[in-house]
Amino acid sequence: MATVERDDERLVPMRGPEGEGGLTMYLAAEGKPYIRFMEGTSQSSEMKIEFSRYGEPVGATVPPPGKVLNATGDGSLFDI
């Protein structure tokens, strides 16, 4: 399987089906195959996401009712 190097780490690029916005996920080529980066376009919006700190706790609090969005639509990433 072809790999690429990014930030001194070997990664396996996994591309979505054609017509799905050109999304590419980059998984660690060594150790657990965690997603390290995602990039591509969705509905003409460019996105780049970096994933890190796997296994570390994440703090979360419930927002007040006035700060909650009701997401409706086709369920795409940028559809709110």
Side-chain angles (χ1 to χ4, degrees):
M1 190 171 289
T3 62
V4 297
E5 190 168 316
R6 185 168 174 172
D7 296 336
D8 297 322
E9 182 177 15
R10 285 187 33 221
L11 304 167
V12 177
M14 304 293 287
R15 292 178 177 81
E18 293 298 320
E20 293 291 322
L23 180 65
T24 303
M25 294 187 302
Y26 295 88
L27 297 111
E30 299 169 352
K32 293 187 179 187
Y34 288 131
I35 299 171
R36 304 296 293 155
F37 301 94
M38 286 175 53
E39 61 187 12
T41 56
S42 179
Q43 298 179 357
S44 301
S45 296
E46 184 177 327
M47 69 168 202
K48 293 181 181 183
I49 302 171
E50 180 178 343
F51 297 89
S52 62
R53 299 185 180 181
Y54 283 97
E56 293 185 20
V58 176
T61 57
V62 176
K67 297 286 185 173
V68 176
L69 295 176
N70 182 10
T72 60
D74 66 3
S76 70
L77 182 61
F78 296 106
D79 188 27
I80 296 181

